[in-house]
PDB file of all heavy atoms in Angstrom:
ATOM      1  N   GLU S 163      61.493 131.901 107.953  1.00 87.00           N
ATOM      2  CA  GLU S 163      60.803 130.818 107.256  1.00 87.00           C
ATOM      3  C   GLU S 163      59.602 131.323 106.472  1.00 87.00           C
ATOM      4  O   GLU S 163      58.614 131.775 107.058  1.00 87.00           O
ATOM      5  CB  GLU S 163      60.345 129.773 108.276  1.00 87.00           C
ATOM      6  CG  GLU S 163      60.340 128.370 107.722  1.00 87.00           C
ATOM      7  CD  GLU S 163      60.213 127.363 108.847  1.00 87.00           C
ATOM      8  OE1 GLU S 163      59.366 127.572 109.746  1.00 87.00           O
ATOM      9  OE2 GLU S 163      60.957 126.377 108.847  1.00 87.00           O
ATOM     10  N   GLY S 164      59.692 131.267 105.162  1.00 86.00           N
ATOM     11  CA  GLY S 164      58.592 131.678 104.292  1.00 86.00           C
ATOM     12  C   GLY S 164      58.323 133.169 104.288  1.00 86.00           C
ATOM     13  O   GLY S 164      57.310 133.616 103.758  1.00 86.00           O
ATOM     14  N   LYS S 165      59.225 133.980 104.871  1.00 87.00           N
ATOM     15  CA  LYS S 165      58.924 135.406 105.022  1.00 87.00           C
ATOM     16  C   LYS S 165      59.450 136.246 103.863  1.00 87.00           C
ATOM     17  O   LYS S 165      59.134 137.414 103.746  1.00 87.00           O
ATOM     18  CB  LYS S 165      59.515 135.935 106.340  1.00 87.00           C
ATOM     19  CG  LYS S 165      58.861 135.356 107.592  1.00 87.00           C
ATOM     20  CD  LYS S 165      57.583 136.105 107.925  1.00 87.00           C
ATOM     21  CE  LYS S 165      56.688 135.345 108.892  1.00 87.00           C
ATOM     22  NZ  LYS S 165      57.294 134.914 110.131  1.00 87.00           N
ATOM     23  N   LYS S 166      60.327 135.678 103.048  1.00 90.00           N
ATOM     24  CA  LYS S 166      60.912 136.420 101.926  1.00 90.00           C
ATOM     25  C   LYS S 166      61.460 137.776 102.359  1.00 90.00           C
ATOM     26  O   LYS S 166      61.142 138.811 101.765  1.00 90.00           O
ATOM     27  CB  LYS S 166      59.876 136.620 100.811  1.00 90.00           C
ATOM     28  CG  LYS S 166      59.408 135.324 100.226  1.00 90.00           C
ATOM     29  CD  LYS S 166      58.717 135.546  98.901  1.00 90.00           C
ATOM     30  CE  LYS S 166      58.568 134.233  98.217  1.00 90.00           C
ATOM     31  NZ  LYS S 166      57.474 133.954  97.425  1.00 90.00           N
ATOM     32  N   ARG S 167      62.267 137.789 103.365  1.00 92.00           N
ATOM     33  CA  ARG S 167      62.854 139.049 103.828  1.00 92.00           C
ATOM     34  C   ARG S 167      63.845 139.564 102.783  1.00 92.00           C
ATOM     35  O   ARG S 167      64.663 138.798 102.271  1.00 92.00           O
ATOM     36  CB  ARG S 167      63.582 138.823 105.149  1.00 92.00           C
ATOM     37  CG  ARG S 167      62.688 138.294 106.246  1.00 92.00           C
ATOM     38  CD  ARG S 167      62.521 139.321 107.330  1.00 92.00           C
ATOM     39  NE  ARG S 167      61.741 138.776 108.429  1.00 92.00           N
ATOM     40  CZ  ARG S 167      60.515 139.167 108.728  1.00 92.00           C
ATOM     41  NH1 ARG S 167      59.917 140.099 108.018  1.00 92.00           N
ATOM     42  NH2 ARG S 167      59.879 138.648 109.753  1.00 92.00           N
ATOM     43  N   GLU S 168      63.768 140.846 102.501  1.00 93.00           N
ATOM     44  CA  GLU S 168      64.639 141.393 101.469  1.00 93.00           C
ATOM     45  C   GLU S 168      65.722 142.310 102.008  1.00 93.00           C
ATOM     46  O   GLU S 168      66.594 142.749 101.270  1.00 93.00           O
ATOM     47  CB  GLU S 168      63.793 142.132 100.418  1.00 93.00           C
ATOM     48  CG  GLU S 168      62.929 141.161  99.645  1.00 93.00           C
ATOM     49  CD  GLU S 168      62.064 141.832  98.603  1.00 93.00           C
ATOM     50  OE1 GLU S 168      62.011 143.074  98.611  1.00 93.00           O
ATOM     51  OE2 GLU S 168      61.453 141.110  97.804  1.00 93.00           O
ATOM     52  N   TRP S 169      65.645 142.652 103.260  1.00 94.00           N
ATOM     53  CA  TRP S 169      66.625 143.589 103.817  1.00 94.00           C
ATOM     54  C   TRP S 169      67.200 143.102 105.150  1.00 94.00           C
ATOM     55  O   TRP S 169      67.757 143.870 105.902  1.00 94.00           O
ATOM     56  CB  TRP S 169      65.981 144.967 104.016  1.00 94.00           C
ATOM     57  CG  TRP S 169      65.563 145.612 102.745  1.00 94.00           C
ATOM     58  CD1 TRP S 169      64.372 145.449 102.098  1.00 94.00           C
ATOM     59  CD2 TRP S 169      66.336 146.491 101.924  1.00 94.00           C
ATOM     60  NE1 TRP S 169      64.340 146.167 100.948  1.00 94.00           N
ATOM     61  CE2 TRP S 169      65.540 146.838 100.810  1.00 94.00           C
ATOM     62  CE3 TRP S 169      67.610 147.030 102.020  1.00 94.00           C
ATOM     63  CZ2 TRP S 169      65.985 147.700  99.809  1.00 94.00           C
ATOM     64  CZ3 TRP S 169      68.045 147.892 101.021  1.00 94.00           C
ATOM     65  CH2 TRP S 169      67.243 148.213  99.930  1.00 94.00           C
ATOM     66  N   PHE S 170      67.055 141.833 105.431  1.00 95.00           N
ATOM     67  CA  PHE S 170      67.354 141.353 106.772  1.00 95.00           C
ATOM     68  C   PHE S 170      68.126 140.033 106.684  1.00 95.00           C
ATOM     69  O   PHE S 170      67.559 139.010 106.316  1.00 95.00           O
ATOM     70  CB  PHE S 170      66.024 141.142 107.506  1.00 95.00           C
ATOM     71  CG  PHE S 170      66.131 141.155 108.996  1.00 95.00           C
ATOM     72  CD1 PHE S 170      66.363 142.339 109.682  1.00 95.00           C
ATOM     73  CD2 PHE S 170      65.975 139.980 109.732  1.00 95.00           C
ATOM     74  CE1 PHE S 170      66.432 142.362 111.067  1.00 95.00           C
ATOM     75  CE2 PHE S 170      66.051 140.001 111.108  1.00 95.00           C
ATOM     76  CZ  PHE S 170      66.284 141.186 111.776  1.00 95.00           C
ATOM     77  N   VAL S 171      69.411 140.074 106.989  1.00 95.00           N
ATOM     78  CA  VAL S 171      70.187 138.842 106.886  1.00 95.00           C
ATOM     79  C   VAL S 171      70.688 138.378 108.253  1.00 95.00           C
ATOM     80  O   VAL S 171      70.920 139.180 109.150  1.00 95.00           O
ATOM     81  CB  VAL S 171      71.401 139.010 105.935  1.00 95.00           C
ATOM     82  CG1 VAL S 171      70.930 139.259 104.517  1.00 95.00           C
ATOM     83  CG2 VAL S 171      72.326 140.108 106.412  1.00 95.00           C
ATOM     84  N   GLY S 172      70.833 137.085 108.398  1.00 94.00           N
ATOM     85  CA  GLY S 172      71.279 136.511 109.663  1.00 94.00           C
ATOM     86  C   GLY S 172      72.693 135.980 109.568  1.00 94.00           C
ATOM     87  O   GLY S 172      73.257 135.857 108.474  1.00 94.00           O
ATOM     88  N   VAL S 173      73.279 135.705 110.721  1.00 93.00           N
ATOM     89  CA  VAL S 173      74.643 135.203 110.772  1.00 93.00           C
ATOM     90  C   VAL S 173      74.679 133.798 111.380  1.00 93.00           C
ATOM     91  O   VAL S 173      75.520 132.980 111.023  1.00 93.00           O
ATOM     92  CB  VAL S 173      75.539 136.180 111.581  1.00 93.00           C
ATOM     93  CG1 VAL S 173      76.936 135.627 111.743  1.00 93.00           C
ATOM     94  CG2 VAL S 173      75.580 137.549 110.904  1.00 93.00           C
ATOM     95  N   LEU S 174      73.757 133.534 112.277  1.00 92.00           N
ATOM     96  CA  LEU S 174      73.750 132.223 112.927  1.00 92.00           C
ATOM     97  C   LEU S 174      73.096 131.173 112.028  1.00 92.00           C
ATOM     98  O   LEU S 174      72.149 131.476 111.323  1.00 92.00           O
ATOM     99  CB  LEU S 174      72.942 132.273 114.231  1.00 92.00           C
ATOM    100  CG  LEU S 174      73.530 132.966 115.436  1.00 92.00           C
ATOM    101  CD1 LEU S 174      72.646 132.713 116.632  1.00 92.00           C
ATOM    102  CD2 LEU S 174      74.936 132.488 115.714  1.00 92.00           C
ATOM    103  N   PRO S 175      73.578 129.955 112.111  1.00 91.00           N
ATOM    104  CA  PRO S 175      72.902 128.878 111.385  1.00 91.00           C
ATOM    105  C   PRO S 175      71.572 128.544 112.060  1.00 91.00           C
ATOM    106  O   PRO S 175      71.336 128.918 113.208  1.00 91.00           O
ATOM    107  CB  PRO S 175      73.870 127.708 111.502  1.00 91.00           C
ATOM    108  CG  PRO S 175      74.738 128.016 112.648  1.00 91.00           C
ATOM    109  CD  PRO S 175      74.787 129.498 112.792  1.00 91.00           C
ATOM    110  N   ALA S 176      70.714 127.808 111.353  1.00 88.00           N
ATOM    111  CA  ALA S 176      69.377 127.499 111.855  1.00 88.00           C
ATOM    112  C   ALA S 176      69.430 126.833 113.230  1.00 88.00           C
ATOM    113  O   ALA S 176      70.337 126.053 113.519  1.00 88.00           O
ATOM    114  CB  ALA S 176      68.667 126.582 110.875  1.00 88.00           C
ATOM    115  N   ALA S 177      68.447 127.156 114.037  1.00 88.00           N
ATOM    116  CA  ALA S 177      68.481 126.739 115.443  1.00 88.00           C
ATOM    117  C   ALA S 177      68.481 125.228 115.619  1.00 88.00           C
ATOM    118  O   ALA S 177      69.071 124.722 116.570  1.00 88.00           O
ATOM    119  CB  ALA S 177      67.302 127.355 116.190  1.00 88.00           C
ATOM    120  N   TRP S 178      67.817 124.512 114.710  1.00 89.00           N
ATOM    121  CA  TRP S 178      67.738 123.067 114.957  1.00 89.00           C
ATOM    122  C   TRP S 178      69.089 122.385 114.865  1.00 89.00           C
ATOM    123  O   TRP S 178      69.296 121.301 115.388  1.00 89.00           O
ATOM    124  CB  TRP S 178      66.741 122.400 113.998  1.00 89.00           C
ATOM    125  CG  TRP S 178      67.169 122.405 112.553  1.00 89.00           C
ATOM    126  CD1 TRP S 178      66.839 123.322 111.611  1.00 89.00           C
ATOM    127  CD2 TRP S 178      68.010 121.449 111.905  1.00 89.00           C
ATOM    128  NE1 TRP S 178      67.417 123.009 110.418  1.00 89.00           N
ATOM    129  CE2 TRP S 178      68.146 121.851 110.564  1.00 89.00           C
ATOM    130  CE3 TRP S 178      68.666 120.283 112.332  1.00 89.00           C
ATOM    131  CZ2 TRP S 178      68.906 121.153 109.641  1.00 89.00           C
ATOM    132  CZ3 TRP S 178      69.430 119.584 111.398  1.00 89.00           C
ATOM    133  CH2 TRP S 178      69.541 120.011 110.069  1.00 89.00           C
TER     134      TRP S 178
END
Side-chain angles (χ1 to χ4, degrees):
Chain S
E163 212 166 45
K165 293 277 163 54
K166 297 196 167 146
R167 301 247 184 249
E168 293 179 351
W169 296 87
F170 202 72
V171 295
V173 175
L174 286 188
W178 67 266

